[in-house]
Amino acid sequence: MVSQANRRRDRLIETYRKKAKHYDVTSRLYPVPGYPNEAQRLRAVQALGLRAGDSVIDVACGTGLNFPLIEEVIGPDGRIVGVDLTDAMLARAQGRIETNGWSNISLVHADAAEFSFPTEVDAILSTYALTQVPECAEVIAHGAAALSRGGRWVVLDVKVPGSTPRWLAQLGTAAVRPFAAIDEWIMRRPWETIRAAMQEELTDLSWTELFFGTAFLAAGARAR
């Protein structure tokens, strides 16, 4: 019998396979048209506090939209490991790597919940993906354990607004409708799970709500 978790994973893979070809264009409209997606990705990368030569894990890297932003800081002596569940997204990421001539990026085809984080990495990033992983707390914990002392974990993702008008709540939930059963996602409230896990595993946690509460940026560090 196929488990609910496997069905959810298969649905995510199929959805992203369909989206892979045009993802770089359609992602500019995510989570809603008019949302400053690229600016918020840059803000998330800046929250990592990277330096030249650092090593970074990009969890659910997709087509590699974060790679140029990270590369600009870490340079050729740094290292990026991009992890994604979907082969089609990784194929696009590989194309981006080859087009730019980057030799310091490796890609891993894996479920974030099952990925074995390399140890002593300087930073871990996940953008617009981790709330789709039911085991998001475990991913946070595994990543935190792999960080070097002072290393930073940053999550940028969508959420349901709190005390806001119904139309704003609908904006927040519309973003995940293609990927998950919306009622299940709302009931699970993964953004709260992520926040609690980061508070448990990291120090100096910051939590910033974005775009009327339809998204958040969370950042924390491993204790020195």
PDB file of all heavy atoms in Angstrom, residues 167-197:
ATOM      1  N   TRP A 167      -9.042  38.029   2.160  1.00  0.00           N
ATOM      2  CA  TRP A 167      -8.418  38.038   0.837  1.00  0.00           C
ATOM      3  C   TRP A 167      -6.911  37.873   0.937  1.00  0.00           C
ATOM      4  O   TRP A 167      -6.287  37.266   0.069  1.00  0.00           O
ATOM      5  CB  TRP A 167      -8.772  39.320   0.083  1.00  0.00           C
ATOM      6  CG  TRP A 167      -8.155  40.579   0.629  1.00  0.00           C
ATOM      7  CD1 TRP A 167      -8.665  41.400   1.581  1.00  0.00           C
ATOM      8  CD2 TRP A 167      -6.908  41.170   0.232  1.00  0.00           C
ATOM      9  NE1 TRP A 167      -7.816  42.465   1.821  1.00  0.00           N
ATOM     10  CE2 TRP A 167      -6.737  42.348   1.006  1.00  0.00           C
ATOM     11  CE3 TRP A 167      -5.919  40.820  -0.688  1.00  0.00           C
ATOM     12  CZ2 TRP A 167      -5.624  43.173   0.890  1.00  0.00           C
ATOM     13  CZ3 TRP A 167      -4.805  41.643  -0.817  1.00  0.00           C
ATOM     14  CH2 TRP A 167      -4.665  42.807  -0.033  1.00  0.00           C
ATOM     15  N   LEU A 168      -6.301  38.379   2.043  1.00  0.00           N
ATOM     16  CA  LEU A 168      -4.870  38.194   2.217  1.00  0.00           C
ATOM     17  C   LEU A 168      -4.540  36.753   2.577  1.00  0.00           C
ATOM     18  O   LEU A 168      -3.546  36.194   2.124  1.00  0.00           O
ATOM     19  CB  LEU A 168      -4.351  39.130   3.310  1.00  0.00           C
ATOM     20  CG  LEU A 168      -3.986  40.544   2.875  1.00  0.00           C
ATOM     21  CD1 LEU A 168      -3.509  41.351   4.061  1.00  0.00           C
ATOM     22  CD2 LEU A 168      -2.907  40.507   1.797  1.00  0.00           C
ATOM     23  N   ALA A 169      -5.399  36.139   3.390  1.00  0.00           N
ATOM     24  CA  ALA A 169      -5.197  34.727   3.714  1.00  0.00           C
ATOM     25  C   ALA A 169      -5.276  33.877   2.457  1.00  0.00           C
ATOM     26  O   ALA A 169      -4.530  32.915   2.285  1.00  0.00           O
ATOM     27  CB  ALA A 169      -6.239  34.271   4.733  1.00  0.00           C
ATOM     28  N   GLN A 170      -6.172  34.244   1.561  1.00  0.00           N
ATOM     29  CA  GLN A 170      -6.306  33.504   0.316  1.00  0.00           C
ATOM     30  C   GLN A 170      -5.052  33.633  -0.540  1.00  0.00           C
ATOM     31  O   GLN A 170      -4.657  32.688  -1.235  1.00  0.00           O
ATOM     32  CB  GLN A 170      -7.535  33.991  -0.449  1.00  0.00           C
ATOM     33  CG  GLN A 170      -8.855  33.585   0.200  1.00  0.00           C
ATOM     34  CD  GLN A 170     -10.056  34.222  -0.478  1.00  0.00           C
ATOM     35  OE1 GLN A 170      -9.938  35.243  -1.158  1.00  0.00           O
ATOM     36  NE2 GLN A 170     -11.220  33.625  -0.291  1.00  0.00           N
ATOM     37  N   LEU A 171      -4.385  34.789  -0.485  1.00  0.00           N
ATOM     38  CA  LEU A 171      -3.129  34.954  -1.217  1.00  0.00           C
ATOM     39  C   LEU A 171      -2.079  33.986  -0.690  1.00  0.00           C
ATOM     40  O   LEU A 171      -1.348  33.364  -1.454  1.00  0.00           O
ATOM     41  CB  LEU A 171      -2.612  36.393  -1.090  1.00  0.00           C
ATOM     42  CG  LEU A 171      -3.332  37.480  -1.866  1.00  0.00           C
ATOM     43  CD1 LEU A 171      -2.618  38.802  -1.656  1.00  0.00           C
ATOM     44  CD2 LEU A 171      -3.388  37.153  -3.340  1.00  0.00           C
ATOM     45  N   GLY A 172      -1.997  33.881   0.638  1.00  0.00           N
ATOM     46  CA  GLY A 172      -1.000  33.005   1.230  1.00  0.00           C
ATOM     47  C   GLY A 172      -1.239  31.549   0.904  1.00  0.00           C
ATOM     48  O   GLY A 172      -0.299  30.796   0.650  1.00  0.00           O
ATOM     49  N   THR A 173      -2.508  31.125   0.877  1.00  0.00           N
ATOM     50  CA  THR A 173      -2.800  29.720   0.633  1.00  0.00           C
ATOM     51  C   THR A 173      -2.786  29.376  -0.846  1.00  0.00           C
ATOM     52  O   THR A 173      -2.480  28.237  -1.210  1.00  0.00           O
ATOM     53  CB  THR A 173      -4.169  29.342   1.222  1.00  0.00           C
ATOM     54  OG1 THR A 173      -5.176  30.195   0.658  1.00  0.00           O
ATOM     55  CG2 THR A 173      -4.174  29.495   2.734  1.00  0.00           C
ATOM     56  N   ALA A 174      -3.063  30.333  -1.712  1.00  0.00           N
ATOM     57  CA  ALA A 174      -3.073  30.057  -3.148  1.00  0.00           C
ATOM     58  C   ALA A 174      -1.698  29.618  -3.636  1.00  0.00           C
ATOM     59  O   ALA A 174      -1.576  28.849  -4.583  1.00  0.00           O
ATOM     60  CB  ALA A 174      -3.526  31.299  -3.917  1.00  0.00           C
ATOM     61  N   ALA A 175      -0.656  30.077  -2.962  1.00  0.00           N
ATOM     62  CA  ALA A 175       0.698  29.759  -3.396  1.00  0.00           C
ATOM     63  C   ALA A 175       1.007  28.274  -3.307  1.00  0.00           C
ATOM     64  O   ALA A 175       1.809  27.754  -4.073  1.00  0.00           O
ATOM     65  CB  ALA A 175       1.706  30.551  -2.550  1.00  0.00           C
ATOM     66  N   VAL A 176       0.389  27.582  -2.351  1.00  0.00           N
ATOM     67  CA  VAL A 176       0.709  26.161  -2.173  1.00  0.00           C
ATOM     68  C   VAL A 176      -0.358  25.249  -2.763  1.00  0.00           C
ATOM     69  O   VAL A 176      -0.210  24.033  -2.745  1.00  0.00           O
ATOM     70  CB  VAL A 176       0.902  25.815  -0.683  1.00  0.00           C
ATOM     71  CG1 VAL A 176       2.025  26.623  -0.086  1.00  0.00           C
ATOM     72  CG2 VAL A 176      -0.383  26.028   0.102  1.00  0.00           C
ATOM     73  N   ARG A 177      -1.426  25.804  -3.295  1.00  0.00           N
ATOM     74  CA  ARG A 177      -2.526  24.984  -3.804  1.00  0.00           C
ATOM     75  C   ARG A 177      -2.086  23.950  -4.834  1.00  0.00           C
ATOM     76  O   ARG A 177      -2.568  22.813  -4.816  1.00  0.00           O
ATOM     77  CB  ARG A 177      -3.630  25.882  -4.382  1.00  0.00           C
ATOM     78  CG  ARG A 177      -4.938  25.149  -4.643  1.00  0.00           C
ATOM     79  CD  ARG A 177      -6.017  26.131  -5.055  1.00  0.00           C
ATOM     80  NE  ARG A 177      -6.283  27.118  -4.018  1.00  0.00           N
ATOM     81  CZ  ARG A 177      -7.071  26.900  -2.970  1.00  0.00           C
ATOM     82  NH1 ARG A 177      -7.637  25.727  -2.809  1.00  0.00           N
ATOM     83  NH2 ARG A 177      -7.273  27.852  -2.087  1.00  0.00           N
ATOM     84  N   PRO A 178      -1.157  24.261  -5.756  1.00  0.00           N
ATOM     85  CA  PRO A 178      -0.754  23.244  -6.729  1.00  0.00           C
ATOM     86  C   PRO A 178       0.046  22.099  -6.122  1.00  0.00           C
ATOM     87  O   PRO A 178       0.199  21.055  -6.734  1.00  0.00           O
ATOM     88  CB  PRO A 178       0.118  24.029  -7.720  1.00  0.00           C
ATOM     89  CG  PRO A 178      -0.202  25.462  -7.486  1.00  0.00           C
ATOM     90  CD  PRO A 178      -0.534  25.550  -6.035  1.00  0.00           C
ATOM     91  N   PHE A 179       0.584  22.287  -4.906  1.00  0.00           N
ATOM     92  CA  PHE A 179       1.541  21.329  -4.377  1.00  0.00           C
ATOM     93  C   PHE A 179       0.987  20.458  -3.254  1.00  0.00           C
ATOM     94  O   PHE A 179       1.545  19.405  -2.961  1.00  0.00           O
ATOM     95  CB  PHE A 179       2.780  22.062  -3.846  1.00  0.00           C
ATOM     96  CG  PHE A 179       3.342  23.040  -4.831  1.00  0.00           C
ATOM     97  CD1 PHE A 179       3.198  24.403  -4.651  1.00  0.00           C
ATOM     98  CD2 PHE A 179       4.009  22.601  -5.950  1.00  0.00           C
ATOM     99  CE1 PHE A 179       3.718  25.311  -5.558  1.00  0.00           C
ATOM    100  CE2 PHE A 179       4.533  23.494  -6.869  1.00  0.00           C
ATOM    101  CZ  PHE A 179       4.385  24.847  -6.676  1.00  0.00           C
ATOM    102  N   ALA A 180      -0.058  20.861  -2.588  1.00  0.00           N
ATOM    103  CA  ALA A 180      -0.521  20.126  -1.414  1.00  0.00           C
ATOM    104  C   ALA A 180      -2.015  20.331  -1.222  1.00  0.00           C
ATOM    105  O   ALA A 180      -2.602  21.270  -1.741  1.00  0.00           O
ATOM    106  CB  ALA A 180       0.235  20.609  -0.170  1.00  0.00           C
ATOM    107  N   ALA A 181      -2.611  19.422  -0.462  1.00  0.00           N
ATOM    108  CA  ALA A 181      -4.001  19.609  -0.068  1.00  0.00           C
ATOM    109  C   ALA A 181      -4.030  20.810   0.865  1.00  0.00           C
ATOM    110  O   ALA A 181      -3.439  20.791   1.941  1.00  0.00           O
ATOM    111  CB  ALA A 181      -4.512  18.364   0.628  1.00  0.00           C
ATOM    112  N   ILE A 182      -4.718  21.864   0.448  1.00  0.00           N
ATOM    113  CA  ILE A 182      -4.605  23.133   1.159  1.00  0.00           C
ATOM    114  C   ILE A 182      -5.093  23.025   2.596  1.00  0.00           C
ATOM    115  O   ILE A 182      -4.492  23.590   3.510  1.00  0.00           O
ATOM    116  CB  ILE A 182      -5.366  24.244   0.380  1.00  0.00           C
ATOM    117  CG1 ILE A 182      -4.986  25.619   0.929  1.00  0.00           C
ATOM    118  CG2 ILE A 182      -6.851  24.016   0.403  1.00  0.00           C
ATOM    119  CD1 ILE A 182      -3.568  26.006   0.660  1.00  0.00           C
ATOM    120  N   ASP A 183      -6.172  22.271   2.820  1.00  0.00           N
ATOM    121  CA  ASP A 183      -6.685  22.134   4.183  1.00  0.00           C
ATOM    122  C   ASP A 183      -5.666  21.425   5.070  1.00  0.00           C
ATOM    123  O   ASP A 183      -5.470  21.804   6.231  1.00  0.00           O
ATOM    124  CB  ASP A 183      -8.007  21.365   4.179  1.00  0.00           C
ATOM    125  CG  ASP A 183      -9.122  22.152   3.510  1.00  0.00           C
ATOM    126  OD1 ASP A 183      -9.015  23.392   3.441  1.00  0.00           O
ATOM    127  OD2 ASP A 183     -10.097  21.531   3.064  1.00  0.00           O
ATOM    128  N   GLU A 184      -5.008  20.414   4.511  1.00  0.00           N
ATOM    129  CA  GLU A 184      -3.993  19.685   5.270  1.00  0.00           C
ATOM    130  C   GLU A 184      -2.823  20.591   5.586  1.00  0.00           C
ATOM    131  O   GLU A 184      -2.268  20.574   6.690  1.00  0.00           O
ATOM    132  CB  GLU A 184      -3.547  18.455   4.465  1.00  0.00           C
ATOM    133  CG  GLU A 184      -2.513  17.579   5.164  1.00  0.00           C
ATOM    134  CD  GLU A 184      -1.077  17.983   4.847  1.00  0.00           C
ATOM    135  OE1 GLU A 184      -0.862  18.664   3.812  1.00  0.00           O
ATOM    136  OE2 GLU A 184      -0.178  17.648   5.643  1.00  0.00           O
ATOM    137  N   TRP A 185      -2.423  21.417   4.620  1.00  0.00           N
ATOM    138  CA  TRP A 185      -1.302  22.331   4.813  1.00  0.00           C
ATOM    139  C   TRP A 185      -1.614  23.356   5.899  1.00  0.00           C
ATOM    140  O   TRP A 185      -0.785  23.624   6.762  1.00  0.00           O
ATOM    141  CB  TRP A 185      -0.988  23.016   3.483  1.00  0.00           C
ATOM    142  CG  TRP A 185       0.234  23.877   3.463  1.00  0.00           C
ATOM    143  CD1 TRP A 185       1.536  23.476   3.347  1.00  0.00           C
ATOM    144  CD2 TRP A 185       0.270  25.306   3.547  1.00  0.00           C
ATOM    145  NE1 TRP A 185       2.371  24.561   3.347  1.00  0.00           N
ATOM    146  CE2 TRP A 185       1.633  25.688   3.460  1.00  0.00           C
ATOM    147  CE3 TRP A 185      -0.713  26.297   3.662  1.00  0.00           C
ATOM    148  CZ2 TRP A 185       2.026  27.025   3.504  1.00  0.00           C
ATOM    149  CZ3 TRP A 185      -0.323  27.632   3.704  1.00  0.00           C
ATOM    150  CH2 TRP A 185       1.033  27.984   3.631  1.00  0.00           C
ATOM    151  N   ILE A 186      -2.820  23.904   5.856  1.00  0.00           N
ATOM    152  CA  ILE A 186      -3.215  24.890   6.865  1.00  0.00           C
ATOM    153  C   ILE A 186      -3.269  24.246   8.245  1.00  0.00           C
ATOM    154  O   ILE A 186      -2.802  24.807   9.239  1.00  0.00           O
ATOM    155  CB  ILE A 186      -4.582  25.515   6.509  1.00  0.00           C
ATOM    156  CG1 ILE A 186      -4.450  26.364   5.242  1.00  0.00           C
ATOM    157  CG2 ILE A 186      -5.104  26.358   7.667  1.00  0.00           C
ATOM    158  CD1 ILE A 186      -5.769  26.894   4.726  1.00  0.00           C
ATOM    159  N   MET A 187      -3.826  23.044   8.312  1.00  0.00           N
ATOM    160  CA  MET A 187      -3.935  22.350   9.589  1.00  0.00           C
ATOM    161  C   MET A 187      -2.553  22.027  10.155  1.00  0.00           C
ATOM    162  O   MET A 187      -2.315  22.123  11.355  1.00  0.00           O
ATOM    163  CB  MET A 187      -4.740  21.051   9.412  1.00  0.00           C
ATOM    164  CG  MET A 187      -5.020  20.317  10.709  1.00  0.00           C
ATOM    165  SD  MET A 187      -6.021  18.841  10.425  1.00  0.00           S
ATOM    166  CE  MET A 187      -7.497  19.586   9.691  1.00  0.00           C
ATOM    167  N   ARG A 188      -1.640  21.674   9.270  1.00  0.00           N
ATOM    168  CA  ARG A 188      -0.289  21.310   9.707  1.00  0.00           C
ATOM    169  C   ARG A 188       0.513  22.534  10.157  1.00  0.00           C
ATOM    170  O   ARG A 188       1.400  22.420  10.991  1.00  0.00           O
ATOM    171  CB  ARG A 188       0.413  20.597   8.542  1.00  0.00           C
ATOM    172  CG  ARG A 188       1.723  19.962   8.888  1.00  0.00           C
ATOM    173  CD  ARG A 188       2.109  18.893   7.884  1.00  0.00           C
ATOM    174  NE  ARG A 188       2.132  19.362   6.503  1.00  0.00           N
ATOM    175  CZ  ARG A 188       3.164  19.970   5.926  1.00  0.00           C
ATOM    176  NH1 ARG A 188       4.263  20.165   6.613  1.00  0.00           N
ATOM    177  NH2 ARG A 188       3.101  20.358   4.660  1.00  0.00           N
ATOM    178  N   ARG A 189       0.223  23.700   9.587  1.00  0.00           N
ATOM    179  CA  ARG A 189       0.881  24.954   9.937  1.00  0.00           C
ATOM    180  C   ARG A 189       2.408  24.781  10.020  1.00  0.00           C
ATOM    181  O   ARG A 189       3.038  24.985  11.064  1.00  0.00           O
ATOM    182  CB  ARG A 189       0.335  25.518  11.256  1.00  0.00           C
ATOM    183  CG  ARG A 189      -1.162  25.754  11.218  1.00  0.00           C
ATOM    184  CD  ARG A 189      -1.698  26.371  12.489  1.00  0.00           C
ATOM    185  NE  ARG A 189      -1.325  27.768  12.615  1.00  0.00           N
ATOM    186  CZ  ARG A 189      -1.947  28.781  11.986  1.00  0.00           C
ATOM    187  NH1 ARG A 189      -2.965  28.549  11.186  1.00  0.00           N
ATOM    188  NH2 ARG A 189      -1.544  30.020  12.163  1.00  0.00           N
ATOM    189  N   PRO A 190       3.020  24.398   8.881  1.00  0.00           N
ATOM    190  CA  PRO A 190       4.455  24.067   8.907  1.00  0.00           C
ATOM    191  C   PRO A 190       5.357  25.231   9.271  1.00  0.00           C
ATOM    192  O   PRO A 190       6.463  25.008   9.783  1.00  0.00           O
ATOM    193  CB  PRO A 190       4.714  23.569   7.484  1.00  0.00           C
ATOM    194  CG  PRO A 190       3.640  24.196   6.649  1.00  0.00           C
ATOM    195  CD  PRO A 190       2.436  24.239   7.534  1.00  0.00           C
ATOM    196  N   TRP A 191       4.937  26.452   9.020  1.00  0.00           N
ATOM    197  CA  TRP A 191       5.772  27.600   9.373  1.00  0.00           C
ATOM    198  C   TRP A 191       5.970  27.667  10.886  1.00  0.00           C
ATOM    199  O   TRP A 191       7.050  28.041  11.357  1.00  0.00           O
ATOM    200  CB  TRP A 191       5.169  28.901   8.825  1.00  0.00           C
ATOM    201  CG  TRP A 191       3.757  29.153   9.262  1.00  0.00           C
ATOM    202  CD1 TRP A 191       3.336  29.884  10.338  1.00  0.00           C
ATOM    203  CD2 TRP A 191       2.567  28.644   8.636  1.00  0.00           C
ATOM    204  NE1 TRP A 191       1.961  29.873  10.421  1.00  0.00           N
ATOM    205  CE2 TRP A 191       1.461  29.124   9.392  1.00  0.00           C
ATOM    206  CE3 TRP A 191       2.333  27.841   7.534  1.00  0.00           C
ATOM    207  CZ2 TRP A 191       0.148  28.816   9.062  1.00  0.00           C
ATOM    208  CZ3 TRP A 191       1.012  27.544   7.201  1.00  0.00           C
ATOM    209  CH2 TRP A 191      -0.066  28.017   7.958  1.00  0.00           C
ATOM    210  N   GLU A 192       4.947  27.264  11.654  1.00  0.00           N
ATOM    211  CA  GLU A 192       5.093  27.237  13.107  1.00  0.00           C
ATOM    212  C   GLU A 192       6.044  26.128  13.535  1.00  0.00           C
ATOM    213  O   GLU A 192       6.840  26.286  14.473  1.00  0.00           O
ATOM    214  CB  GLU A 192       3.727  27.068  13.770  1.00  0.00           C
ATOM    215  CG  GLU A 192       2.807  28.256  13.570  1.00  0.00           C
ATOM    216  CD  GLU A 192       1.462  28.090  14.269  1.00  0.00           C
ATOM    217  OE1 GLU A 192       1.238  27.003  14.856  1.00  0.00           O
ATOM    218  OE2 GLU A 192       0.658  29.029  14.227  1.00  0.00           O
ATOM    219  N   THR A 193       5.978  24.989  12.837  1.00  0.00           N
ATOM    220  CA  THR A 193       6.886  23.884  13.120  1.00  0.00           C
ATOM    221  C   THR A 193       8.324  24.289  12.839  1.00  0.00           C
ATOM    222  O   THR A 193       9.243  23.987  13.615  1.00  0.00           O
ATOM    223  CB  THR A 193       6.513  22.658  12.266  1.00  0.00           C
ATOM    224  OG1 THR A 193       5.157  22.288  12.543  1.00  0.00           O
ATOM    225  CG2 THR A 193       7.425  21.484  12.561  1.00  0.00           C
ATOM    226  N   ILE A 194       8.526  24.975  11.724  1.00  0.00           N
ATOM    227  CA  ILE A 194       9.868  25.438  11.362  1.00  0.00           C
ATOM    228  C   ILE A 194      10.394  26.423  12.401  1.00  0.00           C
ATOM    229  O   ILE A 194      11.548  26.327  12.847  1.00  0.00           O
ATOM    230  CB  ILE A 194       9.852  26.072   9.957  1.00  0.00           C
ATOM    231  CG1 ILE A 194       9.618  24.995   8.890  1.00  0.00           C
ATOM    232  CG2 ILE A 194      11.150  26.845   9.686  1.00  0.00           C
ATOM    233  CD1 ILE A 194       9.326  25.534   7.512  1.00  0.00           C
ATOM    234  N   ARG A 195       9.558  27.341  12.814  1.00  0.00           N
ATOM    235  CA  ARG A 195       9.991  28.329  13.798  1.00  0.00           C
ATOM    236  C   ARG A 195      10.366  27.662  15.121  1.00  0.00           C
ATOM    237  O   ARG A 195      11.424  27.972  15.703  1.00  0.00           O
ATOM    238  CB  ARG A 195       8.877  29.359  14.032  1.00  0.00           C
ATOM    239  CG  ARG A 195       9.272  30.496  14.972  1.00  0.00           C
ATOM    240  CD  ARG A 195       8.197  31.558  15.023  1.00  0.00           C
ATOM    241  NE  ARG A 195       8.648  32.729  15.754  1.00  0.00           N
ATOM    242  CZ  ARG A 195       7.966  33.873  15.843  1.00  0.00           C
ATOM    243  NH1 ARG A 195       6.796  33.988  15.218  1.00  0.00           N
ATOM    244  NH2 ARG A 195       8.439  34.895  16.523  1.00  0.00           N
ATOM    245  N   ALA A 196       9.536  26.716  15.569  1.00  0.00           N
ATOM    246  CA  ALA A 196       9.817  26.017  16.825  1.00  0.00           C
ATOM    247  C   ALA A 196      11.094  25.205  16.731  1.00  0.00           C
ATOM    248  O   ALA A 196      11.907  25.173  17.672  1.00  0.00           O
ATOM    249  CB  ALA A 196       8.640  25.116  17.189  1.00  0.00           C
ATOM    250  N   ALA A 197      11.304  24.542  15.596  1.00  0.00           N
ATOM    251  CA  ALA A 197      12.511  23.728  15.427  1.00  0.00           C
ATOM    252  C   ALA A 197      13.759  24.596  15.409  1.00  0.00           C
ATOM    253  O   ALA A 197      14.796  24.232  15.991  1.00  0.00           O
ATOM    254  CB  ALA A 197      12.413  22.917  14.131  1.00  0.00           C
TER     255      ALA A 197
END
